[in-house]
Amino acid sequence: MRILVTGGAGFIGSEYVRRRLRSDPRTRITVLDKLTYSGVEANLAPVGEYLGLTFVQGDICDPDVVDQVMAAQDAVVHFAAESHVDRSIDGAGPFVRTNVMGTQVLLDAAHRHRVGRFLHVSTDEVYGSIGEGSWPETWPLAPNSPYSASKAGSDLLALAYHRTHGLDVVVTRCTNNYGPYQFPEKVIPLFITNLLDGKPVPLYGDGRNVRDWLHVSDHCRGIDLVLQGGRAGDVYHIGGGTELSNHKLTGLLLDAVGAGWDRVEQVADRKGHDLRYSLDDGKIREELGYEPQVDFAAGLAATVSWYRENRSWWAPLKERAGLR
Ligand code: NAD
């Protein structure tokens, strides 16, 4: 199978590529990645020797580059995006450009080249916030941040290409991912690396916002199940099954590195901060046999160890991005 993986040098995309090549070395993967601040080509070094891997540095918004890499692909797995909510609050332009317009360029090319399947990777954040219960896939979209609004736009475009052009599109929406190689601006790696460096950690508001945590390897397994068995034109949720308030998560991270609450700095809450996200992922469990395999306590401990052992990966990234 020949797969175009966009954003394959990022956190989740690179996990997908490493996992896929190791489990099926006959797969031919072309990674298209612009290498923005969060893209790291070295994330693919562990599978750099695989003959099936081709890396192309390029922008999904560039129709010429996209046209070249799309030719002869059997499938697209589309991760490339601007992905950090805080950055979208500071400036929404790159989010609309990459997430909406870039997705449209990819969809057009996939349709033109008659690609067999287009899997669009999205997020629970497109639904807004929910006090109680969990969203099914049929829930109306009500995004609150420029990031989630741009992802909702790209989801709707992808589904429209299925309805209008008959392109075989599937959309996945997942909860918060964690694991190795996550850019250290996101809460888990930011807190771990700050704590390892003896620095304070910034907790938004009172820390009562609730997120469900999904190990990146479980997410990528779910993506492959949908790629292989999902119904064209359908949306599938991928959840982790571990809902935690940010306060509780902070306590677990402090315990993991042996630090106390004196290291926590309460900072002004994020503008428009969604209180709770919760996906009902019964559909992928029932139809495709998905179940998360990584226990959260074990996954978090392994993630802390990975950051402890890979300072040479994250320290230069934090330095370059001016993260404190
Ligand atoms: P990331 O920021 O780590 O990686 C994004 C990758 O896309 C980077 O390698 C970057 O260089 C590349 N990229 C950005 N703009 C590009 C462009 N114009 N052209 C080509 N490449 C470009 O993000 P991530 O956390 O790996 O997220 C991947 C996908 O998963 C995104 O679509 C995101 O919305 C979705 N998602 C992430 C999470 C999460 O918890 N991280 C949760 C739900 C959904």
Side-chain angles (χ1 to χ4, degrees):
M1 189 177 199
R2 290 155 300 179
I3 309 176
L4 174 64
V5 177
T6 71
F11 164 47
I12 307 172
S14 68
E15 167 74 17
Y16 181 80
V17 173
R18 292 189 303 269
R19 193 191 135 76
R20 179 81 200 210
L21 285 173
R22 284 173 177 149
S23 64
D24 181 6
R26 291 163 310 162
T27 309
R28 296 285 171 266
I29 291 184
T30 302
V31 168
L32 175 63
D33 198 297
K34 187 178 176 183
L35 297 181
T36 65
Y37 77 93
S38 71
V40 181
E41 196 178 345
N43 291 355
L44 297 170
V47 288
E49 298 302 308
Y50 282 69
L51 294 176
L53 177 63
T54 305
F55 180 81
V56 177
Q57 183 173 1
D59 190 335
I60 59 166
C61 300
D62 181 336
D64 295 334
V65 173
V66 169
D67 194 66
Q68 280 168 32
V69 296
M70 194 65 76
Q73 300 291 350
D74 299 311
V76 176
V77 182
H78 174 34
F79 295 97
E82 288 291 338
S83 67
H84 191 41
V85 176
D86 288 347
R87 288 179 186 258
S88 80
I89 295 168
D90 292 342
F95 287 74
V96 174
R97 181 179 177 277
T98 288
N99 300 1
V100 182
M101 296 169 67
T103 300
Q104 173 254 312
V105 171
L106 287 166
L107 289 164
D108 270 344
H111 173 50
R112 212 168 38 248
H113 287 280
R114 300 180 193 283
V115 165
R117 171 145 278 196
F118 189 109
L119 187 145
H120 174 67
V121 177
S122 189
T123 168
D124 54 4
E125 302 194 27
V126 295
Y127 297 112
S129 185
I130 188 165
E132 284 173 15
S134 303
W135 294 298
E137 282 86 353
T138 48
W139 202 265
L141 306 190
N144 289 318
S145 73
Y147 162 67
S148 53
S150 67
K151 291 297 290 187
S154 62
D155 289 20
L156 294 176
L157 262 179
L159 294 168
Y161 272 68
H162 171 69
R163 290 295 295 266
T164 304
H165 297 296
L167 181 64
D168 183 330
V169 168
V170 278
V171 174
T172 56
R173 295 186 182 132
C174 68
T175 57
N176 274 34
N177 284 222
Y178 72 100
Y181 296 97
Q182 186 167 28
F183 194 82
E185 67 185 349
K186 302 279 170 64
V187 62
I188 287 185
L190 178 70
F191 278 27
I192 295 172
T193 56
N194 276 16
L195 291 170
L196 291 176
D197 271 352
K199 293 180 184 162
V201 294
L203 180 64
Y204 279 132
D206 53 13
R208 68 197 176 102
N209 305 70
V210 172
R211 301 292 182 258
D212 171 63
W213 290 96
L214 166 67
H215 194 269
V216 65
S217 64
D218 281 328
H219 181 198
C220 291
R221 227 165 21 79
I223 286 174
D224 263 341
L225 288 172
V226 175
L227 185 67
Q228 284 150 27
R231 275 182 274 135
D234 269 26
V235 177
Y236 290 84
H237 288 166
I238 306 175
T242 304
E243 276 196 28
L244 293 173
S245 68
N246 286 344
H247 190 272
K248 174 92 182 163
L249 174 69
T250 302
L252 294 175
L253 291 169
L254 291 171
D255 288 350
V257 297
W261 278 93
D262 56 314
R263 301 281 291 284
V264 179
E265 228 173 48
Q266 269 194 348
V267 296
D269 208 354
R270 171 189 276 168
K271 282 189 198 172
H273 204 173
D274 289 328
L275 186 58
R276 178 171 172 263
Y277 303 133
S278 183
L279 293 180
D280 175 346
D281 64 358
K283 179 175 169 179
I284 189 173
R285 287 175 186 255
E286 281 154 33
E287 286 186 17
L288 303 174
Y290 168 80
E291 204 179 337
Q293 288 177 354
V294 181
D295 165 72
F296 183 73
L300 194 67
T303 302
V304 171
S305 299
W306 189 88
Y307 281 92
R308 212 187 270 287
E309 287 155 19
N310 288 279
R311 171 178 292 274
S312 60
W313 181 85
W314 55 262
L317 295 179
K318 283 185 94 170
E319 178 80 29
R320 219 175 304 141
L323 292 163
R324 44 160 242 104

